Amino acid sequence: MTTTVTSPAVKAEGVWKIFNEGQPNEVTALQDLNLEVGYGEFVALIGPSGCGKSTLLRVIADLTHATRGTMQVAGLTAAQAREQQKYGMAFQQAALFDWRTVRRNVELPLELQGVGKSDRAARAMELLEMVQLADFAGHRPWELSGGMQQRVAIARSLAVDPPLLLMDEPFGALDEMTRERMQNELLRIRKETGKSIVFVTHSIPEAVYLSDRVVVMSPRPGRITDIIEVSLGDRNEDTREDERFFEAVTAVREALRGNHGGGSAIRSRIGEV
Amino acid sequence: MTTTVTSPAVKAEGVWKIFNEGQPNEVTALQDLNLEVGYGEFVALIGPSGCGKSTLLRVIADLTHATRGTMQVAGLTAAQAREQQKYGMAFQQAALFDWRTVRRNVELPLELQGVGKSDRAARAMELLEMVQLADFAGHRPWELSGGMQQRVAIARSLAVDPPLLLMDEPFGALDEMTRERMQNELLRIRKETGKSIVFVTHSIPEAVYLSDRVVVMSPRPGRITDIIEVSLGDRNEDTREDERFFEAVTAVREALRGNHGGGSAIRSRIGEV
Amino acid sequence: MGQRLRLIWPPVVVAAVFLALWQGIVVVNDIKPYLLPAPSLIFTSLFDNVSGVFDATVYTATTAFLGLMIGIVIGTLIALLASRFIVVNKLATPLAAGLAAVPIIALTPILNNMFDITSRTPRVLVTIIIVFFPIFVNVTRGLTQIQPAHLELMRSLNASAGKVARLVRIPNALPFFLTGMKVAAPLSVIAALVAEYFGGPQQGLGARIASSAANTAYGRAWAYVTAAIVVGLLFYLAVLLLERLVTPWTGRARSA
Amino acid sequence: MSNTQAPVRRQSGRLRRGLASLGWALAGVLLVVVMWELVKVIGSLVTLPLDTGDQAMPHVWTMLQGAMQPEVRGSDTTVLQAVVSATLRSLLVAMGGFAIGVAIGLLLAVIMQRFWFFERGLLPFVIASQTVPLIALAPLIVGIGNRISIGPVQWNTTYSVMFIASYLAFFPLSVGALRGLQAPTATHIELMRSYAATPGQTLRKLRFPASVPYLVPAMKVSAAAAVVGTVVAEISTGVRGGIGRLVIEYAREMTASPAKVYVAVFGAIAVGLLAAALVAALDMALTRNLPKEHSA
Amino acid sequence: GGGSSSTESSAAPASSAAAPASSAAASAPAAECTDPTPVNLQLQWFAQAQFAGYYAAKDKGFYKDQCLDVTILEGGVDIVPQTQLAQGNADFAIAWVPKALASREQGANIVNVAQVYQKSGTLQVAWADSGIKTPADFKGKKVGNWGFGNEFEVFAAITQAGLDPANDVTLVQQQFDMKGLLSKEIDAAEAMTYNEYAQLLEAKNPDTGKLYTPEDFTVISYEDQGVGMLQDAIWASEERLSDPAYQDLTQRFVTASLKGWIYCRDNAAECADIVTANGSKLGKSHQLWMMNEVNKLIWPSPAGVGVMDPDKWAQTVEISMGTKNLEGATVLTAQPADGSYTTQYAEAADQSLEAEGLNVTGDAFAPITVTLNEGGN
Ligand SMILES: Nc1ncnc2c1ncn2[C@@H]1O[C@H](COP(=O)(O)OP(=O)(O)OP(=O)(O)O)[C@@H](O)[C@H]1O
Ligand SMILES: Nc1ncnc2c1ncn2[C@@H]1O[C@H](COP(=O)(O)OP(=O)(O)OP(=O)(O)O)[C@@H](O)[C@H]1O
Ligand SMILES: [Mg+2]
Ligand SMILES: [Mg+2]
């Protein structure tokens, strides 16, 4: 919250990520990637499987280093931002701790911040309520279904209140109804707190429904091929029926299809945005 | 292949599954469930997170025992069917072995069946080709993205050729394009081999596109609340634009929404089917 | 109840079969007690000398327990340091391996010379050294063998190394620690016992076994050995109980 | 290009790592030497609970001198030479015992993992076996062993020593291996079950590979135990040529030339270190395929 | 000190005057030996001058003269020679009498066929300035002993002095080195004349920089205290002794062995070197000291070398049955059966050795003087 509103939430400049560089199993995951996420902006990342979305989130989160290029978060280096806890992250795998109950898994980030015991418990129960798992507070992670585990992980990522949320396919294993509920919860939280959010998803409607901009990535080596602005205003029940919603969905879909075909026609589109 | 065509692929009668029975953390996952999957039929299971879909698949696969009721597979008991390898299963988690390369993960079921080394490798490469991961044959699982791991798991489940496929959200972590490709591959395989398939998904369009019947389950305790017949004939590019497709999607969606509200109105609908 | 029975009867059955076989072989082949005493002889020797055996057992069990506790603490602490500071790790690992491979027999005379032979100290030290290694090796493994996803999570939460240790490494190491304990607990008994062969106060099991064996009173010697076995098993049982208490999550793989 | 270069680079990397750990081991030894002398210095200033006199704790240089002296006056082998050759011999025997112990330990672990009856029924005896002092067993083993002759191979006491070494080595391994065999996740076990994999297949394809993280520390402890067993058995049975026999022979001269016995004990430690190095090499081979701890 | 107490019993008549015919035949060196009989001899410890007679017999060809091919098996901490013998892993064994009798009581069928050591070599050593002069002075002191069944002479002496071993003294088990005494953790330490006592005299006094001397210590000899128990003897298998072939073997073995001991009496320095050449790691002066002290325990043997002194036997049995250790256990619970020892082989051997012109009693034996060097070198 000490960040001035003017500096972008995320700023990637010429970021490359090459795994196993120089070895036979070298993989270029990100190639010369440039991206700016404005303060308070909701950006969705979309692209074929294995194109580098998770890698990009990990570079932003300073969980891995860019091979080349610079990454700034809230005007700081990625490392500083991590150290100052400028972001919260929901991982693609739930990564729950088997030795903690569901509730205590949610409490973990609060514990690390030194929040008192009863406050922690209260906050955790509130979040479990939100993801509709209050009944399972005392269970162990392996007693939960895949979707339930994912919801616990979401609750955990929301436990503290960082200005930036990085979410990697958080709703992937949820059924449509629950997913819509969670989407609306996320939008509510965002509205109330003014968080910036970078959100990876495979669902085009989800990307469009949630975000201000949809960033489309190409298959390996991961590059940004398209950025589609979405201006739907406040989301509500009717948004999904909105003409503009369908337009945006179609635009994203085409951008993605173009990707699969590949080619220069798409490249030029970036200029438009 | 010795099964006569007349016995249903799966037949569940009065199946209950109660975890931790009698203990304070008791969970009724399945309640008095009856289901028949005809030989060569494609059945999709859909329902809210945690309703017992994975549990049902696990009971069919004899990976866990029904607390009460009987489960028959291909006219045999579930245990016999498992021992005679009447089914193949794709799990919700990829469950790859870290100590094997991608290719050797796909080879695993073939190895267990005693298929020779070069045949195994050839078949595995073919499957990896199909899931577009041939380039990664020599990589280790932890070097793959989430979606890539899932594709490896799909390839593995298709490595042998069992008459029944049990698939638990296999395409959950895939992008739309890849997903459609995989859906068509699955339909092709089914058409060529006449397999019976039980398929868990959260995507209503996917359920409708793929299956002959969509089985809708209620939240805990898991019961079947609706079964929606889909008759779209051979699927192709245009199916998704078909009127009947949208109708079925709407029917499933409503069945699911009704579920969330709960109530007796839905129960009566089962009679219709 | 049924659960508990399932826990108890297999060892009882195996023990009964084993002892019956032993007795049978001794009786049928007329094996003389100077070679191998029959279980019946061992038990009569035991009952003839219950209070003597008990006192000796208490003495040696105390040594073993002290050594076990201190060894566990030291082993765990150094493992923790080794997982935190690479220098400690690199230095301690070969040293620990060397120390562990020092046969107790070779170590005892030296310790007896360095410390007062008439005290318990050299024996406790021998026990500590023996206990240290399995604990250190297992805990070190447990502290470092962490799922990458878990470490990433902690990193994203900017958890300090200490917090990561407390919240992830230590719980993750618990099953490894207990595996080490399972090895260390019986070893502590044998270490405490063997350390007595070389001198010092003579009221423990080791001295009694040595003295009885030297006089070919094998019935008596094995009566003391039986006591040592009982102590070892009790120590082990305590570890099993501890395992159930502190790692309730580890049994799950078997539930399928 | 990169294809041909990469393996070369990896190999030289491995060599460098090996050399580095050797360096660290030497640094560790140096540290001990310094601490040893430091304790002696402190002991000469204040009273410590231990005897720091030259008798109980000879100076490091005294030990080095002792190592260079002839073993017995007039003989042309030095103490060091005697210790080195004994060390090598004991190492060989210990590794034999280690191999047998690992085989037995694995077998037991597999049986115990497979049949709950044996886990419950056998485990207490595996533990009990370790609390039986060798004094009660050594004569039995030697006595029975000496009667065995398989074809032209006549049992000799060295085999008894190896047997005793394996007797100590199998225990840590079976406990660790049992834990490791039970380590696979429920999903992995379900996967194998869904393939109707035979227990043997599940063992080979899943449980063994998954147990490696537990197996490796178990092997380290086992190797150390095998060394201890070898030395103890050499003393116990009096078999010639090994470091155990040297330790006890030199220990009798403790009063007069304490340095000698220390040299022998360091020989025993060297056996342990060599055994540990062998296991470490094995470790590198076994865990080569597993993800290394994240080091971003 | 020479063993004067045994001379009175030397008048005891030989138990069997007539040697068996077979032994007479065997005692004549078999010149035409083509196929020497293999024999295993199990020792109770590593090679050292304590066993010099056997190594000399082997090295000097005395065994070969008897058409024997002897393998000497060294002992270890946990090797029980009499058990090895009873199990058939050895043909003969060297063992102390009380321990061997205990094994006999537990079913090991073994017979003492030659009592080589006539006296006990066990001492209790204290500092000269400690005020300990007799076992009665042990009261309230830390008294060291080796345990392992070697403690009964200590217990007997304490009991004989009117003390209760359980309450009046603190018993401490010592290591096989003498550091406990030197560092004064122990007030009086058990020592063998031929080994541990020498270790004391090989050690440097840190105050003077010179070796300790006998004047620094008080020595209590259990032999002199009348509680000595018989030590090294040759044991044979009782079962096999009913077999004439084994009788013959025993005779040949005992004869050659005793000849070895006679040789070592007269050639102490050479015997010490023989032992060293057979792999003993003891220092040169220590080895010679041991050889000399062992000779003192054997010689003189008034009834002939290897012949049992019945009084000593009776004394050993009495202490074995009457003296309780800390556990309240005795070495023996009953009188050993007749036939636990036989003098027939030793006597026959002495006869034939005398016939060769050897002195079998050592009546003129005079020990040599050995100067111990630092560390026994
Ligand atoms: N091992 C277990 N122990 C206890 N409860 C369990 C266990 N496995 C599953 N459950 C419970 O059974 C219920 C159904 O779980 P299941 O995994 O079948 O759900 P699902 O329909 O597959 O959900 P999802 O779509 O999220 O994967 C859940 O409430 C879960 O908590
Ligand atoms: N640790 C690693 N070592 C080597 N290669 C890696 C590693 N992690 C990721 N990669 C590679 O980087 C590429 C991008 O992976 P990433 O996980 O970012 O994909 P993604 O866009 O998140 O895909 P998905 O939608 O399937 O999750 C992949 O080709 C993958 O193989
Ligand atoms: Mg990803
Ligand atoms: Mg599921």
Side-chain angles (χ1 to χ4, degrees):
Chain A
M1 305 288 158
T2 52
T3 336
T4 61
V5 187
T6 48
S7 62
V10 177
K11 188 171 180 190
E13 284 180 307
V15 167
W16 290 69
K17 178 71 194 183
I18 305 170
F19 288 102
N20 307 322
E21 199 170 3
Q23 280 164 251
N25 55 347
E26 177 177 298
V27 174
T28 305
L30 298 175
Q31 178 182 317
D32 191 25
L33 189 136
N34 296 292
L35 178 69
E36 218 177 285
V37 178
Y39 188 72
E41 198 185 7
F42 196 128
V43 168
L45 284 181
I46 201 162
S49 164
C51 73
K53 304 178 293 296
S54 301
T55 304
L56 176 55
L57 280 200
R58 296 238 287 278
V59 174
I60 299 175
D62 186 42
L63 298 178
T64 186
H65 298 297
T67 311
R68 282 189 271 293
T70 61
M71 178 65 74
Q72 282 194 357
V73 177
L76 308 165
T77 66
Q80 288 168 330
R82 179 177 62 75
E83 278 151 22
Q84 295 175 27
Q85 284 291 283
K86 295 287 183 206
Y87 69 82
M89 182 150 178
F91 290 85
Q92 193 164 359
Q93 298 95 354
L96 303 177
F97 292 122
D98 276 348
W99 52 83
R100 290 175 162 245
T101 60
V102 164
R103 178 172 63 74
R104 299 210 53 235
N105 262 289
V106 177
E107 282 180 21
L108 179 76
L110 298 166
E111 242 175 276
L112 286 170
Q113 296 205 338
V115 177
K117 205 162 183 153
S118 59
D119 287 356
R120 256 175 12 216
R123 175 94 184 110
M125 284 313 295
E126 203 174 280
L127 286 158
L128 285 174
E129 208 79 67
M130 188 189 91
V131 297
Q132 298 187 301
L133 283 175
D135 291 353
F136 287 84
H139 283 239
R140 298 273 169 181
W142 73 85
E143 294 179 334
L144 302 188
S145 77
M148 290 156 92
Q149 290 180 12
Q150 207 177 30
R151 282 182 278 158
V152 176
I154 296 166
R156 182 178 62 188
S157 72
L158 296 172
V160 285
D161 198 36
L164 171 64
L165 274 180
L166 305 172
M167 308 185 86
D168 199 349
E169 299 186 41
F171 306 152
L174 303 184
D175 61 290
E176 197 165 301
M177 290 285 302
T178 313
R179 191 168 189 151
E180 282 177 14
R181 250 185 40 78
M182 293 302 306
Q183 287 168 355
N184 290 330
E185 283 290 340
L186 185 60
L187 287 175
R188 179 186 60 77
I189 289 170
R190 183 216 175 185
K191 197 168 172 186
E192 284 170 13
T193 60
K195 282 184 205 309
S196 323
I197 301 177
V198 182
F199 188 99
V200 174
T201 180
H202 284 308
S203 161
I204 302 171
E206 180 169 87
V208 170
Y209 183 71
L210 289 174
S211 65
D212 303 323
R213 278 194 293 161
V214 180
V215 172
V216 180
M217 291 176 70
S218 72
R220 256 166 292 116
R223 282 153 302 136
I224 296 177
T225 50
D226 254 299
I227 298 182
I228 287 130
E229 303 262 2
V230 183
S231 34
L232 291 168
D234 266 8
R235 270 66 168 176
N236 57 36
E237 284 286 290
D238 302 325
T239 308
R240 291 179 212 267
E241 317 286 303
D242 195 313
E243 183 79 9
R244 284 172 303 171
F245 179 78
F246 286 114
E247 268 169 26
V249 167
T250 313
V252 174
R253 177 161 296 137
E254 273 173 15
L256 276 167
R257 292 202 185 227
N259 260 347
H260 271 259
S264 56
I266 295 115
R267 196 76 48 83
S268 68
R269 265 172 113 169
I270 301 181
E272 292 174 38
V273 183
Chain B
M1 306 292 154
T2 51
T3 335
T4 61
V5 186
T6 48
S7 62
V10 177
K11 189 172 181 191
E13 284 180 308
V15 167
W16 290 69
K17 178 69 194 183
I18 306 172
F19 289 102
N20 305 323
E21 200 171 6
Q23 281 164 251
N25 55 347
E26 177 177 299
V27 175
T28 305
L30 298 175
Q31 178 182 316
D32 192 24
L33 190 137
N34 296 291
L35 177 69
E36 220 178 281
V37 177
Y39 188 72
E41 196 183 12
F42 196 129
V43 168
L45 284 181
I46 200 162
S49 164
C51 74
K53 303 177 294 296
S54 299
T55 304
L56 177 55
L57 280 200
R58 295 238 291 277
V59 174
I60 298 175
D62 187 42
L63 299 177
T64 186
H65 299 297
T67 311
R68 283 189 270 292
T70 60
M71 177 65 74
Q72 281 193 357
V73 177
L76 309 165
T77 66
Q80 288 167 331
R82 179 178 62 76
E83 278 151 22
Q84 295 175 26
Q85 284 292 282
K86 294 290 183 207
Y87 69 82
M89 182 150 178
F91 289 84
Q92 193 164 1
Q93 297 92 356
L96 303 177
F97 292 166
D98 274 347
W99 53 86
R100 287 172 167 248
T101 61
V102 164
R103 179 173 61 75
R104 297 211 53 234
N105 263 288
V106 177
E107 282 180 22
L108 177 73
L110 298 166
E111 237 175 280
L112 291 172
Q113 295 203 341
V115 177
K117 204 158 184 158
S118 60
D119 287 358
R120 268 189 342 234
R123 175 93 183 109
M125 285 313 295
E126 202 175 281
L127 286 158
L128 285 174
E129 208 76 67
M130 187 189 90
V131 298
Q132 299 186 300
L133 283 175
D135 289 353
F136 287 84
H139 283 239
R140 300 276 164 184
W142 74 86
E143 295 179 334
L144 302 189
S145 78
M148 290 155 91
Q149 290 181 13
Q150 207 176 29
R151 282 183 277 159
V152 176
I154 296 166
R156 182 179 62 186
S157 72
L158 296 172
V160 284
D161 197 37
L164 171 65
L165 274 180
L166 306 171
M167 309 187 87
D168 199 350
E169 299 186 40
F171 306 154
L174 302 185
D175 63 289
E176 198 165 300
M177 291 285 301
T178 313
R179 192 169 190 149
E180 281 176 16
R181 251 184 40 81
M182 293 304 305
Q183 287 169 354
N184 290 330
E185 283 289 340
L186 185 60
L187 286 175
R188 178 186 59 77
I189 289 170
R190 182 215 175 183
K191 197 169 172 184
E192 283 171 13
T193 59
K195 284 185 204 307
S196 323
I197 300 177
V198 182
F199 188 98
V200 174
T201 179
H202 284 309
S203 160
I204 301 172
E206 178 169 88
V208 171
Y209 183 71
L210 289 175
S211 65
D212 303 322
R213 280 192 296 160
V214 178
V215 172
V216 181
M217 290 177 69
S218 73
R220 257 166 293 117
R223 283 153 301 138
I224 295 177
T225 49
D226 255 298
I227 296 181
I228 287 128
E229 304 263 2
V230 183
S231 33
L232 291 169
D234 264 9
R235 270 64 169 178
N236 57 38
E237 283 284 293
D238 303 326
T239 308
R240 292 179 212 264
E241 317 284 305
D242 196 313
E243 183 81 11
R244 287 170 302 171
F245 179 79
F246 286 114
E247 268 169 28
V249 167
T250 313
V252 174
R253 179 162 293 137
E254 273 172 16
L256 275 166
R257 285 190 197 236
N259 261 346
H260 271 261
S264 55
I266 295 115
R267 195 78 45 87
S268 67
R269 265 173 113 166
I270 301 180
E272 291 175 37
V273 182
Chain C
M1 184 61 206
Q3 271 274 319
R4 204 156 299 158
L5 265 178
R6 258 167 78 101
L7 206 69
I8 305 251
W9 72 262
V12 171
V13 168
V14 176
V17 170
F18 179 69
L19 289 179
L21 264 178
W22 180 349
Q23 181 83 28
I25 287 173
V26 169
V27 169
V28 170
N29 296 328
D30 190 25
I31 296 179
K32 292 285 171 11
Y34 79 90
L35 270 182
L36 183 66
S40 56
L41 176 64
I42 297 172
F43 282 115
T44 46
S45 307
L46 185 61
F47 286 118
D48 288 348
N49 188 18
V50 171
S51 73
V53 173
F54 183 78
D55 292 343
T57 307
V58 169
Y59 178 85
T60 302
T62 309
T63 309
F65 185 76
L66 284 174
L68 182 62
M69 289 302 132
I70 302 173
I72 287 169
V73 170
I74 296 179
T76 313
L77 277 181
I78 297 193
L80 279 172
L81 285 177
S83 78
R84 271 295 284 285
F85 306 105
I86 196 82
V87 180
V88 180
N89 187 1
K90 303 263 186 195
L91 280 175
T93 310
L95 282 184
L99 200 60
V102 183
I104 5 183
I105 274 191
L107 211 60
T108 322
I110 288 176
L111 289 172
N112 274 342
N113 276 343
M114 286 170 60
F115 295 88
D116 183 358
I117 192 174
T118 58
S119 73
R120 202 194 280 273
T121 318
R123 296 167 180 186
V124 174
L125 283 173
V126 167
T127 313
I128 291 172
I129 290 167
I130 295 298
V131 166
F132 168 80
F133 191 57
I135 298 285
F136 171 76
V137 169
N138 278 287
V139 173
T140 305
R141 219 3 109 122
L143 288 172
T144 50
Q145 197 104 127
I146 315 270
Q147 278 183 38
H150 284 166
L151 283 179
E152 282 202 343
L153 171 73
M154 294 310 278
R155 193 172 150 87
S156 82
L157 295 170
N158 192 38
S160 64
K163 290 269 174 58
V164 174
R166 197 161 54 77
L167 298 173
V168 183
R169 293 190 190 278
I170 291 178
N172 188 70
L174 268 177
F176 288 82
F177 169 73
L178 286 157
T179 305
M181 280 274 276
K182 285 182 188 169
V183 174
L187 285 187
S188 72
V189 178
I190 191 75
L193 191 147
V194 170
E196 290 177 20
Y197 291 168
F198 295 86
Q202 282 177 295
Q203 67 261 47
L205 287 175
R208 303 287 83 212
I209 290 169
S211 166
S212 307
N215 286 307
T216 330
Y218 282 136
R220 209 159 73 229
W222 279 91
Y224 289 115
V225 170
T226 309
I229 290 174
V230 170
V231 174
L233 284 177
L234 284 179
F235 278 26
Y236 186 83
L237 218 63
V239 177
L240 278 191
L241 280 178
L242 193 70
E243 183 174 39
R244 295 212 161 177
L245 274 175
V246 301
T247 60
W249 66 86
T250 49
R252 70 181 197 281
R254 271 169 279 176
S255 65
Chain D
M1 253 311 260
S2 64
N3 269 356
T4 51
Q5 264 172 353
V8 177
R9 185 183 314 168
R10 214 173 303 151
Q11 213 149 47
S12 72
R14 203 175 295 167
L15 190 72
R16 202 174 328 117
R17 248 180 298 139
L19 284 176
S21 38
L22 191 71
W24 281 108
L26 288 178
V29 172
L30 205 68
L31 186 76
V32 171
V33 168
V34 170
M35 296 235 300
W36 180 269
E37 292 296 334
L38 203 66
V39 168
K40 278 180 71 69
V41 170
I42 296 171
S44 66
L45 300 176
V46 292
T47 351
L48 290 182
L50 74 167
D51 180 355
T52 57
D54 289 350
Q55 175 96 137
M57 295 177 69
H59 282 289
V60 173
W61 48 89
T62 318
M63 294 185 209
L64 288 178
Q65 252 169 13
M68 289 316 173
Q69 263 153 23
E71 215 189 348
V72 222
R73 200 176 54 178
S75 92
D76 45 358
T77 46
T78 62
V79 170
L80 188 65
Q81 283 168 332
V83 166
V84 166
S85 81
T87 296
L88 291 178
R89 191 193 145 98
S90 293
L91 180 67
L92 215 65
V93 176
M95 287 298 96
F98 173 64
I100 299 169
V102 167
I104 295 174
L106 274 180
L107 190 72
L108 269 176
V110 166
I111 291 173
M112 289 191 288
Q113 187 279 317
R114 179 87 183 76
F115 307 101
W116 70 270
F117 177 89
F118 284 106
E119 183 185 350
R120 299 265 183 266
L122 223 52
L123 204 52
F125 293 88
V126 170
I127 295 145
S129 72
Q130 296 303 296
T131 47
V132 175
L134 283 181
I135 193 175
L137 289 178
L140 219 64
I141 291 167
V142 174
I144 294 171
N146 284 342
R147 296 188 179 181
I148 299 175
S149 61
I150 304 155
V153 183
Q154 173 63 41
W155 187 274
N156 70 44
T157 317
T158 302
Y159 296 144
S160 297
V161 171
M162 213 180 263
F163 182 89
I164 292 169
S166 68
Y167 182 85
L168 293 192
F170 91 93
F171 170 67
L173 197 104
S174 63
V175 171
L178 176 60
R179 183 69 191 75
L181 292 176
Q182 292 169 340
T185 64
T187 324
H188 281 158
I189 289 171
E190 283 191 351
L191 178 73
M192 294 308 279
R193 196 174 146 86
S194 83
Y195 294 139
T198 63
Q201 288 176 321
T202 309
L203 197 65
R204 263 181 295 127
K205 312 272 179 202
L206 172 60
R207 292 192 188 273
F208 271 144
S211 73
V212 165
Y214 286 85
L215 221 51
V216 167
M219 287 211 285
K220 284 187 179 160
V221 178
S222 268
V227 172
V228 171
T230 304
V231 176
V232 168
E234 280 169 353
I235 292 173
S236 185
T237 61
V239 66
R240 259 194 206 186
I243 195 75
R245 167 81 179 250
L246 270 195
V247 165
I248 198 142
E249 283 193 302
Y250 290 170
R252 295 190 305 170
E253 298 173 48
M254 185 92 165
T255 333
S257 44
K260 238 173 161 181
V261 66
Y262 277 98
V263 176
V265 169
F266 288 131
I269 294 181
V271 183
L273 283 176
L274 289 172
L278 287 178
V279 175
L282 206 63
D283 176 10
M284 260 192 229
L286 281 176
T287 57
R288 192 188 41 208
N289 294 336
L290 294 180
K292 297 286 172 288
E293 185 165 333
H294 194 72
S295 53
Chain E
S4 55
S5 62
S6 56
T7 41
E8 295 128 56
S9 54
S10 64
S15 59
S16 58
S22 61
S23 68
S27 61
E32 65 282 17
C33 170
T34 50
D35 190 16
T37 322
V39 170
N40 285 330
L41 170 66
Q42 176 71 58
L43 303 182
Q44 39 191 342
W45 195 246
F46 310 146
Q48 54 181 2
Q50 183 187 357
F51 313 109
Y54 314 106
Y55 282 105
K58 188 171 158 74
D59 251 52
K60 292 274 126 195
F62 303 155
Y63 287 134
K64 210 149 129 233
D65 292 345
Q66 296 287 350
C67 201
L68 297 173
D69 174 18
V70 175
T71 308
I72 300 178
L73 306 170
E74 293 178 275
V77 174
D78 296 328
I79 297 294
V80 186
Q82 61 270 30
T83 305
Q84 295 297 318
L85 169 63
Q87 274 184 294
N89 294 328
D91 299 298
F92 302 98
I94 309 301
W96 284 18
V97 172
K99 293 191 199 182
L101 285 182
S103 292
R104 213 185 124 90
E105 193 172 278
Q106 296 296 318
N109 287 323
I110 52 172
V111 178
N112 180 327
V113 291
Q115 182 59 46
V116 179
Y117 285 23
Q118 297 288 319
K119 291 187 281 276
S120 160
T122 316
L123 307 174
Q124 200 77 22
V125 185
W127 288 97
D129 57 7
S130 67
I132 297 175
K133 300 227 152 25
T134 67
D137 301 326
F138 291 167
K139 191 172 163 81
K141 303 284 185 189
K142 285 185 183 153
V143 178
N145 69 83
W146 288 315
F148 286 91
N150 299 336
E151 67 272 37
F152 281 90
E153 289 173 325
V154 184
F155 283 93
I158 293 172
T159 314
Q160 195 188 44
L163 301 177
D164 173 7
N167 296 313
D168 292 336
V169 299
T170 308
L171 287 158
V172 180
Q173 188 180 331
Q174 35 181 96
Q175 299 204 90
F176 27 67
D177 58 67
M178 296 304 279
K179 208 213 142 239
L181 180 71
L182 289 176
S183 64
K184 309 208 168 160
E185 282 161 15
I186 293 171
D187 297 311
E190 200 175 353
M192 298 309 291
T193 52
Y194 50 78
N195 195 9
E196 287 79 6
Y197 183 57
Q199 287 180 14
L200 287 175
L201 303 179
E202 290 157 3
K204 218 185 236 166
N205 181 345
D207 297 337
T208 64
K210 296 206 180 89
L211 296 188
Y212 288 108
T213 61
E215 288 71 46
D216 292 322
F217 306 102
T218 320
V219 166
I220 297 168
S221 157
Y222 288 120
E223 180 70 25
D224 295 345
Q225 294 294 324
V227 293
M229 292 166 95
L230 286 168
Q231 298 178 344
D232 296 33
I234 302 173
W235 298 80
S237 161
E238 186 172 34
E239 280 160 36
R240 288 171 67 192
L241 273 179
S242 56
D243 169 7
Y246 183 72
Q247 283 175 10
D248 175 54
L249 186 71
T250 306
Q251 187 59 63
R252 280 146 61 200
F253 178 74
V254 168
T255 305
S257 299
L258 294 178
K259 189 170 177 186
W261 282 114
I262 291 171
Y263 187 82
C264 286
R265 176 192 66 198
D266 303 331
N267 304 280
E270 188 191 345
C271 274
D273 289 343
I274 288 174
V275 174
T276 303
N278 274 281
S280 170
K281 304 240 153 135
L282 292 176
K284 208 173 167 74
S285 69
H286 189 99
Q287 194 79 269
L288 186 58
W289 171 282
M290 183 182 284
M291 186 67 252
N292 192 38
E293 291 299 321
V294 162
N295 273 338
K296 290 190 204 167
L297 297 177
I298 301 173
W299 310 107
S301 290
V305 63
V307 178
M308 177 67 75
D309 173 346
D311 292 347
K312 281 284 172 56
W313 174 267
Q315 179 177 320
T316 303
V317 169
E318 190 195 313
I319 297 173
S320 298
M321 287 174 60
T323 302
K324 290 188 173 159
N325 71 359
L326 282 176
E327 295 164 276
T330 55
V331 179
L332 295 178
T333 57
Q335 188 79 29
D338 286 347
S340 296
Y341 75 89
T342 168
T343 55
Q344 121 191 21
Y345 297 96
E347 280 163 355
D350 286 347
Q351 266 181 14
S352 63
L353 292 172
E354 248 179 334
E356 286 180 40
L358 296 169
N359 176 340
V360 296
T361 59
D363 41 13
F365 167 71
I368 59 170
T369 312
V370 180
T371 311
L372 284 168
N373 298 322
E374 187 184 352
N377 275 317

